[in-house]
Amino acid sequence: QTQLFGVLLAAVSNFLISVSLNIQKCAHLRLVCQAEQKPYYTSKLWWCGITLLGLGEVGNFTAYGFAPITLVAPLGCVSVIGSAFISVFFLKKTMRTADILGGALTITGIFLLVTFAPNVPQELTARQVQNFLVSWPFLVYSILEILIFCILLYFYKRKAVKHIVVLLMMVALLASLTVIAVKGVSSMIVLSVKGKMQLTYSVFYIMSVLMATSCAFQIKFLNQAMHLYEATAVVPINFVFFTTSAIISGVIFYQEFQSAALLSVFMFLFGCLLSFLGVIIIARNKKEEHLQVPFIDCGHIPGQKLTGKIQPDSHCSCYGTLSKEEDLVERQS
C-alpha cells in the first residue's frame, strides 16, 4: 500500500507539472496578444501555473519516500503525454496520430512498470543510508561516474564540444546523484514525521547538500542544452538519459532489484523501452512555437502605393516599403 501511494503521488504530481507548463504557456500567449504589454509575473494565470508546478515538484519529492527510484523516475513520462493532450485544450493545438500512438505505448509501458516494479521496503533509516554510502558497489559506481563526468567536462570546457549528447549525459550523471540524495532525504523526513527522528544524523545534511548542489549544476547544463537545441530534441533524449541513470543508481545504491525474478526484470525493462519509444514518438516532428510580434499597420497613406507591411527595406536607406515610380526606375538602372 505504501508503494502504491508513492506511485499514485508521482503520477498525479507529473500530471500537475504538465498542466502547469501549459497554463504558463497560455499566460505568455495572452500577454503577447494584449495591446498594453505587461510583465508575465503580473498575470494571475501565470502564478496559478507556478503554484501547480511547485505542488507537482513537492509531490514528486515526497513520492521518493514511499516508492523505489526505479518506479518513480520512469513515471516522468506522465508529464510528457499529459502535456501533449492538455495542450489541445489550453493552446488549441491539433491532436496528431503520433500523439495517440505515443500515448498508447507510454501508458502500456507504465502499466508494465507498475506491475513488475521491485517490491522492496521503503523505510530507509539514516544508518542504512550511511551503510549504502560506503558500500563497495556504490564506491565503484561513483569512481566510474566521476571519471566519465570529468572526461565530458574536459571536452565541454577545453574543446568547446557542446553536442546535445555531451550536455545531456552530464545532466544524467548529475541526475543520478540527485535522485539518490532525494530518495535518502525524503525517506528520512517521512520517518521523522512518523515519529522516528532521523534529522539528527549528519548523513541527512550531507545528502541535502549533495541534492542541492547536483540539482543546481544539472539545471545549468540542461538550460545550456535548451538554449542551443530545440525542445523537441532535448525533451525525449533527456527523459531517456535521466530515467536510465536513475534506474541504474537505484539498482546499485539502494539495491532495489536484489531479490527480483528474471521475468520481472525483463518485463520492467520492456516497460521502460515502451515508455521511451512513446515519448520519442510524441516529441518527433513536433513543431516549435515562437511568439511573433505583430506588425504595425499604419493604414492607407494618400498618394502612396503600399506594397507590403511596414518594415525596413534592405535595398533602400529609407524606412518602409512605400515605393515611388522614380525609385523603381533608379533601382532598375
Side-chain angles (χ1 to χ4, degrees):
Q1 292 182 352
T2 301
Q3 185 165 311
L4 180 60
F5 174 75
V7 170
L8 293 176
L9 184 60
V12 172
S13 299
N14 283 292
F15 181 75
L16 286 178
I17 291 173
S18 65
V19 173
S20 73
L21 294 176
N22 280 277
I23 288 177
Q24 291 179 64
K25 182 72 173 178
C26 185
H28 284 293
L29 291 173
R30 284 188 181 183
L31 289 170
V32 167
C33 294
Q34 291 179 358
E36 182 183 355
Q37 296 298 313
K38 295 180 180 179
Y40 61 88
Y41 50 81
T42 60
S43 171
K44 294 181 180 179
L45 187 63
W46 183 82
W47 279 108
C48 178
I50 287 295
T51 303
L52 289 177
L53 180 63
L55 290 174
E57 293 296 350
V58 171
N60 253 336
F61 175 82
T62 309
Y64 280 101
F66 294 95
I69 293 175
T70 50
L71 185 53
V72 175
L75 288 177
C77 61
V78 173
S79 64
V80 178
I81 61 173
S83 181
F85 286 92
I86 293 171
S87 62
V88 176
F89 302 99
F90 279 98
L91 305 177
K92 308 300 180 184
K93 291 185 178 180
T94 305
M95 180 66 68
R96 305 176 306 157
T97 306
D99 295 332
I100 299 174
L101 176 60
L105 288 174
T106 307
I107 291 171
T108 305
I110 291 173
F111 174 76
L112 293 176
L113 288 171
V114 174
T115 305
F116 295 98
N119 190 8
V120 292
Q122 296 306 313
E123 289 193 353
L124 293 170
T125 64
R127 292 191 179 277
Q128 286 177 313
V129 175
Q130 286 178 349
N131 293 333
F132 287 141
L133 278 173
V134 295
S135 62
W136 70 264
F138 177 68
L139 293 176
V140 173
Y141 174 71
S142 301
I143 293 171
L144 289 175
E145 189 174 73
I146 291 171
L147 285 175
I148 296 171
F149 184 82
C150 289
I151 292 171
L152 293 173
L153 191 62
Y154 169 78
F155 282 104
Y156 173 75
K157 288 288 187 182
R158 297 291 184 181
K159 302 295 184 180
V161 177
K162 296 183 180 179
H163 193 273
I164 187 171
V165 174
V166 173
L167 289 168
L168 294 183
M169 277 192 69
M170 289 194 290
V171 172
L173 292 172
L174 291 167
S176 66
L177 297 177
T178 303
V179 295
I180 286 173
V182 166
K183 172 71 176 176
V185 171
S186 180
S187 298
M188 286 185 275
I189 290 176
V190 169
L191 278 179
S192 299
V193 171
K194 289 181 178 180
K196 302 176 183 178
M197 180 55 63
Q198 305 291 316
L199 307 186
T200 56
Y201 291 88
S202 59
V203 68
F204 172 79
Y205 301 98
I206 293 172
M207 298 296 272
S208 298
V209 172
L210 177 63
M211 177 182 67
T213 306
S214 60
C215 187
F217 283 101
Q218 181 184 339
I219 292 172
K220 174 187 174 182
F221 291 116
L222 184 58
N223 284 335
Q224 181 74 15
M226 290 294 289
H227 176 70
L228 295 174
Y229 300 94
E230 299 288 350
T232 52
V234 174
V235 169
I237 297 175
N238 182 61
F239 172 71
V240 172
F241 283 7
F242 168 80
T243 305
T244 303
S245 68
I247 291 173
I248 292 173
S249 62
V251 169
I252 293 176
F253 189 86
Y254 292 108
Q255 303 172 6
E256 293 180 346
F257 273 103
Q258 189 174 15
S259 57
L262 184 61
L263 178 62
S264 297
V265 174
F266 174 79
M267 294 303 294
F268 178 85
L269 294 177
F270 183 64
C272 287
L273 182 62
L274 289 180
S275 299
F276 293 164
L277 186 60
V279 170
I280 291 170
I281 289 174
I282 291 174
R284 186 172 60 92
N285 296 330
K286 202 170 187 180
K287 294 181 180 179
E288 283 287 306
E289 289 189 0
H290 301 285
L291 299 179
Q292 298 193 359
V293 180
F295 65 90
I296 302 172
D297 187 2
C298 296
H300 178 68
I301 301 177
Q304 302 289 349
K305 182 181 178 182
L306 185 62
T307 60
K309 300 179 180 67
I310 301 300
Q311 59 184 356
D313 189 355
S314 59
H315 300 288
C316 183
S317 60
C318 62
Y319 185 84
T321 57
L322 296 174
S323 62
K324 293 182 180 180
E325 291 185 3
E326 56 268 23
D327 291 336
L328 295 174
V329 171
E330 286 182 41
R331 287 184 195 171
Q332 290 174 358
S333 61

